[in-house]
Amino acid sequence: MHAYKNSRKRLFQYITENKMKRGDRFPAETELAEILGISRLTLREAMNALKQEGVISAIQGKGTFVSFDYHYIPNFLNLNKSVTEMIVDNGYTCSTSLFQKKLVKAGQDAAEGLDIPEGSDVLVCERIRLADGVPVVYSFDHLGAQLASHFLEITDMEFSLYNFVEEKCGIEIGLCMTEILPVAADENLAEKLEVSLHTPLLKFKVRVQDVYCNPLIYAEEYLRADKFKFIANRRR
């Protein structure tokens, strides 16, 4: 898995560094593996996965091509990735320009997401995540009681919340229900994400449970629609 992630990251770095766009062709497999410093087998596995995601395409006898605009961060909707993983796995450097912990009163959505009474005190992590220095996600993570005490010790602004849950808290993440809504940037969101007023955004309302269906996190995330591309693999 580590080798696959590394090769995927290197592929996206190659795309961005060479300013490749939709329709541009990759070098031959042997040459590309040498350029990226990975084995042909690992490269082939990564490229096959990216073909399934619609990120690249292959035409027999002609080569392998970029099939998306490189400035998007593409992700599969059937994979539950953290914001950090979405950014890093696609070859971007992830950083944080805002990191704030605060205690708030749970609104209706947060109360339902965490299965607590509305108006209960709940710990929230507010963050702005950047990809290569550009703000792309503004998020509010409401933490369930079993995470809150551990989270108070966190000082690293660049931490991954899912890694924190699994590695620091020793909790296995289970079901993640995500509702995606189109919204327009108000003055606050426009300022936070450095976009114009009324710019289209994607709002994610996320309910994360452990493998025993206990609520862990209720998150509200605002993603720049000009920076993300989401792919759904659907079957009849």
Side-chain angles (χ1 to χ4, degrees):
M1 180 61 72
H2 177 73
Y4 162 72
K5 281 193 165 186
N6 182 55
S7 59
R8 178 190 174 100
K9 180 178 179 179
R10 287 176 179 268
L11 273 169
F12 277 103
Q13 286 175 334
Y14 181 85
I15 292 170
T16 55
E17 288 170 1
N18 289 277
K19 294 182 168 54
M20 295 180 72
K21 57 186 183 296
R22 187 195 303 264
D24 286 349
R25 186 171 64 180
F26 287 98
E29 185 180 278
T30 303
E31 181 184 353
L32 185 58
E34 185 175 344
I35 291 171
L36 300 180
I38 58 179
S39 71
R40 290 180 62 186
L41 177 60
T42 302
L43 173 64
R44 193 174 299 129
E45 289 175 349
M47 296 195 84
N48 284 338
L50 294 180
K51 288 173 189 175
Q52 294 179 15
E53 296 180 27
V55 174
I56 63 177
S57 58
I59 302 175
Q60 189 170 6
K62 293 188 177 181
T64 304
F65 302 84
V66 176
S67 57
F68 79 109
D69 294 324
Y70 76 92
H71 60 274
Y72 285 106
I73 301 172
N75 292 279
F76 254 156
L77 282 175
N78 58 315
L79 297 177
N80 180 17
K81 290 187 176 183
S82 68
V83 169
T84 300
E85 290 170 331
M86 283 195 292
I87 294 172
V88 172
D89 286 355
N90 288 300
Y92 294 85
T93 298
C94 184
S95 57
T96 305
S97 63
L98 171 68
F99 177 78
Q100 182 176 330
K101 308 173 189 176
K102 56 186 179 182
L103 203 62
V104 303
K105 298 295 184 183
Q108 181 178 353
D109 288 340
E112 291 178 358
L114 293 176
D115 193 21
I116 58 177
E118 188 171 350
S120 299
D121 289 334
V122 60
L123 186 63
V124 167
C125 176
E126 178 185 6
R127 288 188 289 176
I128 297 176
R129 314 310 300 278
L130 291 75
D132 285 353
V134 177
V136 294
V137 182
Y138 178 42
S139 62
F140 297 86
D141 296 305
H142 302 70
L143 305 180
Q146 58 182 318
L147 303 180
S149 59
H150 293 285
F151 181 73
L152 290 172
E153 304 171 8
I154 293 289
T155 57
D156 180 11
M157 292 175 58
E158 308 306 331
F159 85 109
S160 164
L161 184 56
Y162 284 3
N163 287 345
F164 158 76
V165 171
E166 294 172 330
E167 297 172 9
K168 176 68 176 178
C169 303
I171 298 172
E172 186 177 354
I173 292 176
L175 186 65
C176 175
M177 295 293 294
T178 303
E179 183 180 359
I180 305 174
L181 306 169
V183 297
D186 58 17
E187 291 185 1
N188 178 54
L189 292 171
E191 178 184 0
K192 293 290 193 299
L193 292 172
E194 298 181 8
V195 296
S196 301
L197 190 64
H198 307 311
T199 294
L201 304 173
L202 297 173
K203 180 179 180 179
F204 277 35
K205 297 169 68 174
V206 186
R207 300 180 181 185
V208 182
Q209 299 176 339
D210 66 15
V211 291
Y212 304 105
C213 298
N214 298 309
L216 295 174
I217 303 163
Y218 170 73
E220 293 188 354
E221 302 168 342
Y222 296 88
L223 288 73
R224 284 181 51 167
D226 63 331
K227 296 298 181 183
F228 287 89
K229 172 182 177 179
F230 290 93
I231 302 152
N233 231 338
R234 303 197 300 170
R235 295 181 177 86
R236 286 181 64 86

